[in-house]
Amino acid sequence: MSLAAYCVICCRRIGTSAASPQSLTRWREIHPFSTVDVEDHECAVWLLLRKSRSGDRTARLEAVQEMSGAHHWQDYQYRIIAQACDPRTLIGLARSKESDLRFFLPPPPLPSLKEDSSIEEELRQLLASLPQTDLDECIQYFTALALNESSQSLAAQKGGLWCFGGNGLPYAESFGEVPSATVEMFCLEAMVKHSEISTHCDKIEANGGLQLLQRLYRLHKDCPKVQRNILRVVGNMALNEHLHAAIVRSGWVSLMAEALKSHHIMEASHAARTLANLDRETVQEKYQDGVYVLHPQCRTSQPIKADVLFIHGLMGAAFKTWRQQDSERAVSEEALEDEDRYTTCWPKTWLARDCPALRIISVEYDTSLSDWRARCPTERKSIAFRSTELLRKLRAAGVGDRPVIWVSHSMGGLLVKKMLVEASKKPEMSTVINNTRGMIFYSVPHHGSHLAEYSVNVRYLLFPSLEVKELSKDSPALKTLQDDFLEFAKDKNFQVLNFVETLPTYIGSMIKLHIVPVESADLGIGDVIPVDVNHLNICKPKRKDAFLYQRTLQFIRETLAKDLEN
């Protein structure tokens, strides 16, 4: 007996109401169960399943919407959908905000570890099974590091790396005992790099990588930095449509559905990226590593009319850069639950609520103050290289198809300028230029920063990173970029708003530095607004009613007024 027939019989035994003639007539159209006598509420579930498999896309979307709105069903009715729906419907339910988690079956049992083997060893073997030739120098570096160094010798030789999980996170300068998860983090960081290559994703899947990553994900449930890299790998694999069936079979959709409902922005945003890459029913764009949609993260009937992009600066990150300014007092649990009082990412909460017709994207890239602390010493980190890479990723995400406002902090503003200058030279990027409406710069050093002239200690003095060198006031690259941008923008009708700090920032415990002075933050276009905060807090409003946020909101609304009205 098929699973579907068994479910129908079980439903009949549980049900008590009489079926209407009309519903039974429609039910008998569903082959091969036309001879089974079913009840009215049982028919509704199976009719929705039939509708979800319709050849008409609108009907399929309606079916998923109706399923996600069902909050009064019995447990067995959710289980029927969970057991009988197709992958397209399952992914749609996972991306529906109101979906009950009972729609999702637990992931299948994981295969047993090989005898006398550990998760760490199997992760190493998986990494070793991936192609090791014709690789980017950074992939070679991370792979060799993970395969050739034990955790203890690595701690002794490199000073220890307590976590690879967050962009801009420092090396741990300790020679003590290294946490057991550290070697796994090395392997995962290398795996992230490999998963950016489609053929390597095929190898990861063929060698049981989805199951192994799921075992690690469950094991390190309380370590967001490990989970972050695991989700990055799965999100990268989801860019390859021929792997979607394997990702669904392995149970990752159920885990992503749960993660999407998390209150932790990192977990929810990584899950949203993976599910959007899986959802080819309603999403045409592809979100590559480091590109995160903050709003909308679920399927929505709200028409999206414009994009607002957030690009962080030196030592920043996609989420933490845009948090509310930290209070001197501990934030209470009640405040955390009320996002109007406190938010860990104001574009995701405040801006999304005030402007629901926007798609809000935040990007992430690695930066460092010193090459001594660089996560990959061979990585090309010039503004020119980064801007080319980011522009490619953002175009794949559909940036340029709608009106755009660019919001940036510090070095991120230089990347925005470089991206626009380069896009203006490429015919295939013309829509990015034509749809750019405006820019907001938070303390962007258009004319350089004093940061490169100082150092926290000898390491920074001897090994300043390329990013820091390019920020120096005498940087030829910076002057050329400024001249090129002004020439490019002179006949454009861009709206520009410049904020600049007036307070110094503490770097380490010894140095107090005014990182971006007012004269450097003046682009030469648009208003320049000094704000009594330091460099780190210039993009972190204290409250939703604070001037920084309200002036930003006003600029976005006014600049996009015509586009949002249409």
Side-chain angles (χ1 to χ4, degrees), residues 336-356:
L336 285 172
E337 292 175 1
D338 182 358
E339 292 176 335
D340 282 341
R341 292 173 59 192
Y342 185 83
T343 176
T344 56
C345 185
W346 60 263
K348 182 179 185 293
T349 52
W350 300 346
L351 184 59
R353 194 172 301 166
D354 287 333
C355 300

Side-chain angles (χ1 to χ4, degrees), residues 406-422:
W406 304 78
V407 183
S408 57
H409 175 233
S410 191
M411 191 182 82
L414 305 180
L415 287 172
V416 169
K417 289 161 62 180
K418 186 65 174 177
M419 280 191 281
L420 291 174
V421 168
E422 291 305 310

Side-chain angles (χ1 to χ4, degrees), residues 350-424:
W350 300 346
L351 184 59
R353 194 172 301 166
D354 287 333
C355 300
L358 299 178
R359 181 178 64 158
I360 303 171
I361 290 177
S362 186
V363 303
E364 187 160 276
Y365 57 95
D366 300 329
T367 67
S368 60
L369 288 175
S370 165
D371 278 344
W372 182 86
R373 296 173 74 130
R375 290 167 55 195
C376 177
T378 60
E379 189 171 14
R380 294 163 288 178
K381 293 185 176 181
S382 68
I383 290 173
F385 174 78
R386 290 194 188 284
S387 65
T388 300
E389 187 177 54
L390 281 178
L391 185 59
R392 174 182 58 80
K393 290 183 175 183
L394 290 173
R395 192 67 195 100
V399 171
D401 295 341
R402 305 183 185 93
V404 182
I405 287 180
W406 304 78
V407 183
S408 57
H409 175 233
S410 191
M411 191 182 82
L414 305 180
L415 287 172
V416 169
K417 289 161 62 180
K418 186 65 174 177
M419 280 191 281
L420 291 174
V421 168
E422 291 305 310
S424 69

Side-chain angles (χ1 to χ4, degrees), residues 64 68 91-99 260-261 298-299:
V64 171
S68 66
I91 292 165
L93 287 169
R95 291 198 70 231
S96 299
K97 186 175 183 180
E98 302 300 327
S99 284
L260 187 60
K261 296 181 183 296
C298 301
R299 285 188 178 182

Side-chain angles (χ1 to χ4, degrees), residues 432-452:
V432 175
I433 303 302
N434 295 337
N435 274 320
T436 291
R437 297 290 189 266
M439 287 148 264
I440 299 176
F441 296 111
Y442 291 105
S443 284
V444 173
H446 301 291
H447 306 283
S449 168
H450 295 295
L451 179 64

Side-chain angles (χ1 to χ4, degrees), residues 164-276:
F164 254 145
N167 291 356
L169 290 176
Y171 281 94
E173 299 164 37
S174 168
F175 289 86
E177 182 182 356
V178 177
S180 60
T182 302
V183 174
E184 293 168 1
M185 291 180 193
F186 278 115
C187 292
L188 287 171
E189 186 70 13
M191 199 80 69
V192 168
K193 297 289 184 180
H194 279 277
S195 67
E196 294 176 358
I197 304 172
S198 178
T199 54
H200 293 212
C201 289
D202 295 343
K203 285 281 188 181
I204 293 172
E205 189 278 323
N207 294 334
L210 287 169
Q211 290 76 19
L212 183 58
L213 291 171
Q214 193 175 125
R215 189 184 298 276
L216 276 168
Y217 184 79
R218 295 180 186 180
L219 182 65
H220 295 292
K221 198 67 178 173
D222 296 326
C223 185
K225 294 157 189 173
V226 172
Q227 289 200 321
R228 174 183 176 275
N229 277 336
I230 293 171
L231 295 175
R232 287 175 71 189
V233 174
V234 179
N236 288 346
M237 294 179 71
L239 290 166
N240 304 282
E241 293 185 36
H242 65 280
L243 294 178
H244 287 187
I247 293 171
V248 172
R249 283 196 307 270
S250 64
W252 272 107
V253 174
S254 297
L255 296 174
M256 293 299 100
E258 183 178 3
L260 187 60
K261 296 181 183 296
S262 171
H263 294 296
H264 299 287
I265 183 172
M266 183 278 290
E267 186 177 8
S269 298
H270 279 278
R273 172 186 169 242
T274 300
L275 289 170

